[in-house]
Amino acid sequence: MSRLIIEESPPLAGRVRVGGSKNAALPIMAAALMARGKCVIHDVPALSDIFVMQNIIESYGGATEYDCKSERMIIDASELGRHTADYELISKIRASFLILGPLLSRLGEVKTAMPGGCAIGGRPVDLHLKGMAALGAQIGLNHGYIEASAAKLRGAEVHLDFPSVGATENIIMAATLAKGRTIIGNCALEPEITDLCNFLVSIGADISGAGTDTITVNGVDSLNGGEYRIIPDRIEAGTFLAAACARPGGDVSLENADTAHLRPVIAKLREMGAQIEEKSGPGLLSIKTDDRLKAADVKTLPYPGFPTDMQAQFMALLAVSTGRGVMTETVFENRYMHAAEMSRMGACIKIDSRTAVVDGVRNLAGCPVKATDLRAGAALIIAALGADGVTEIFGVHHLERGYDRIDEKLRQLGARIIKIG
Ligand code: UD1
């Protein structure tokens, strides 16, 4: 079984490059299913979630080519057939559900298994389905498969009950080739949605309002191929910023970090005492810490609030900060599975429903722990970097869903980390 071994490490120091955003690349790959030409997408990170999406696109008849070295993905869905991806493939990642909008829009029918992904709560898809139904789709659930069809989707007004990232993306894509105008209210504002819209517009879509809570999509007849570069991954960047604070004395610079997308994370780290500087250069951001961080309260919210995908990493920081911090997770239920593992390392965490009270301790103690989901894995690495002794992290496959060569990048910063198996 592969695992990460992290020995007691010095404070992180040096420079590291942030990769392209996984959560922007996945919907953009799904959107390429609507294009009748070749899409060349740059800065697509080499991650297992990306390879699953690549397989899904192929199982629906699209041709793909990925070069790990240049991180370039080519998708050609010109000759799309009517196929079904099997349950085993679809259930690997929740983002597989993002093929629903594009395929429905392009082919008029789609059959797909209910999605899987990280086990961080119920994660229903009702908002996606309500959106498709509002555009005129007939939807049925048959033996674990969603079957959706519409002779031609028609533009409509859709108001989301909650600003779901995936539902906003799916509805935008479905509306792209629909007849007429769709206005989506209470949209999610995440930068990955703006990136998806920018990509779609670059290949011929008519979309306005991305990055605001109301997005307007005027349906077009077809989309062309094109070339596009994915935005930097704000969660990978945030994870490195947090890792730099695991021990006092960290001094790390990030390349290819978009500071505009990191505002809530930067603000919280400054509140906790980290010194963060934005430098001139291609996305250069540096972080330093002299002392242990001071605890702060953290509440996750949809963008531009504090990201739920950074909650676990900040819990690791609170665990070694001075004082008490109260964490409130408002986006997902059941997203504190890392707390039990951190407690095994000596963290002092009390959980009541969506609230976690964390009393910082001077030193965590390394021990064997298990990553239960992607960000929980990242958080355990941060805890290990702030711990005495050796930490062994199992469940490495979760990390590989969202972090490209994280062990290698951390070694570059001086961490004593190796992957075994
Ligand atoms: C995306 C991100 C994920 C991030 C999350 C919130 C991708 C591939 N994943 O996930 O990393 O943690 O945004 O920032 O981009 N909900 C419903 N009904 C629905 C859809 C969602 O109730 O139909 C609920 C979810 O259960 C959850 C909340 O809405 O409680 C937020 O989910 P959503 O914004 O949809 O997250 P994802 O798109 O799945």
Side-chain angles (χ1 to χ4, degrees):
M1 200 193 297
S2 70
R3 59 199 199 277
L4 289 171
I5 311 279
I6 304 169
E7 289 178 11
E8 199 169 308
S9 297
L12 298 189
R15 183 186 283 208
V16 68
R17 185 182 186 276
V18 175
S21 160
K22 163 181 93 77
N23 286 354
L26 290 169
I28 286 175
M29 288 172 70
L33 280 166
M34 291 191 286
R36 288 179 190 274
K38 208 183 257 188
C39 295
V40 180
I41 314 165
H42 299 277
D43 254 350
V44 175
L47 301 171
S48 62
D49 273 18
I50 296 288
F51 304 140
V52 172
M53 184 58 101
Q54 193 182 1
N55 289 336
I56 291 171
I57 289 171
E58 286 184 352
S59 66
Y60 281 99
T64 71
E65 202 186 304
Y66 182 65
D67 178 34
C68 275
K69 225 171 168 163
S70 61
E71 304 201 319
R72 187 188 62 185
M73 175 75 72
I74 302 176
I75 298 175
D76 189 346
S78 316
E79 305 294 332
L80 216 53
R82 282 161 204 258
H83 306 276
T84 309
D86 64 15
Y87 166 75
E88 214 183 313
L89 187 55
I90 291 282
S91 62
K92 283 187 179 161
I93 59 169
R94 180 169 164 88
S96 58
F97 208 59
L98 294 172
I99 54 134
L100 186 75
L103 288 177
L104 191 55
S105 203
R106 167 101 183 257
L107 303 173
E109 64 175 25
V110 57
K111 181 175 172 187
T112 182
M114 287 288 277
C118 273
I120 50 173
R123 301 188 88 172
V125 288
D126 55 318
L127 301 173
H128 300 242
L129 298 180
K130 273 200 224 172
M132 302 299 143
L135 297 181
Q138 306 286 320
I139 294 158
L141 178 64
N142 207 346
H143 298 280
Y145 281 81
I146 300 257
E147 293 176 347
S149 62
K152 181 80 186 162
L153 292 177
R154 295 194 170 270
E157 281 197 23
V158 182
H159 190 88
L160 292 171
D161 296 331
F162 178 87
S164 150
V165 174
T168 303
E169 292 166 341
N170 234 339
I171 298 165
I172 290 169
M173 293 190 279
T176 294
L177 297 175
K179 192 169 171 46
R181 172 175 296 186
T182 299
I183 299 173
I184 313 165
N186 196 25
C187 292
L189 309 178
E190 271 69 0
E192 294 77 19
I193 294 171
T194 307
D195 209 34
L196 168 66
C197 293
N198 288 342
F199 166 69
L200 284 168
V201 168
S202 79
I203 59 170
D206 180 351
I207 302 172
S208 57
T212 75
D213 66 359
T214 307
I215 293 180
T216 304
V217 185
N218 290 307
V220 295
D221 290 337
S222 64
L223 297 175
N224 320 306
E227 203 158 340
Y228 194 76
R229 184 171 297 278
I230 302 285
I231 53 169
D233 196 308
R234 65 193 165 100
I235 305 302
E236 188 192 6
T239 301
F240 282 121
L241 292 177
C245 301
R247 243 178 229 287
D251 186 355
V252 168
S253 295
L254 302 186
E255 267 171 53
N256 195 39
D258 193 327
T259 41
H261 300 161
L262 283 161
R263 290 282 165 233
V265 172
I266 291 174
K268 195 49 70 180
L269 285 170
R270 282 189 174 137
E271 182 186 335
M272 293 170 79
Q275 302 141 43
I276 299 180
E277 229 185 290
E278 294 166 37
K279 297 187 175 165
S280 57
L284 266 189
L285 189 64
S286 73
I287 182 159
K288 277 188 189 174
T289 56
D290 297 328
D291 302 315
R292 281 170 70 198
L293 293 186
K294 298 187 292 284
D297 295 341
V298 181
K299 186 177 193 175
T300 67
L301 285 168
Y303 190 84
F306 187 90
T308 173
D309 285 352
M310 286 299 303
Q311 178 257 104
Q313 299 89 316
F314 267 66
M315 186 177 278
L317 291 185
L318 290 180
V320 288
S321 297
T322 56
R324 170 175 287 188
V326 177
M327 180 80 84
T328 312
E329 171 60 62
T330 77
V331 180
F332 289 108
E333 83 264 25
N334 198 17
R335 204 178 188 176
Y336 284 142
M337 283 178 291
H338 41 275
E341 299 301 302
M342 286 180 199
S343 299
R344 302 183 66 240
M345 298 175 73
C348 189
I349 305 168
K350 283 198 189 88
I351 296 191
D352 182 10
S353 180
R354 290 184 179 233
T355 303
V357 179
V358 187
D359 285 307
V361 296
R362 182 166 282 280
N363 294 105
L364 295 177
C367 67
V369 285
K370 194 165 122 197
T372 46
D373 64 66
L374 166 55
R375 307 304 169 187
L380 291 175
I381 292 181
I382 294 168
L385 291 172
D388 293 342
V390 181
T391 306
E392 210 174 345
I393 304 180
F394 293 87
V396 172
H397 62 282
H398 288 294
L399 274 152
E400 288 166 353
R401 296 187 46 208
Y403 293 94
D404 179 22
R405 295 168 290 121
I406 192 161
D407 49 333
E408 203 179 305
K409 289 186 178 185
L410 287 169
R411 268 199 304 277
Q412 205 178 308
L413 298 175
R416 300 205 177 104
I417 175 171
I418 51 161
K419 189 177 146 195
I420 294 184

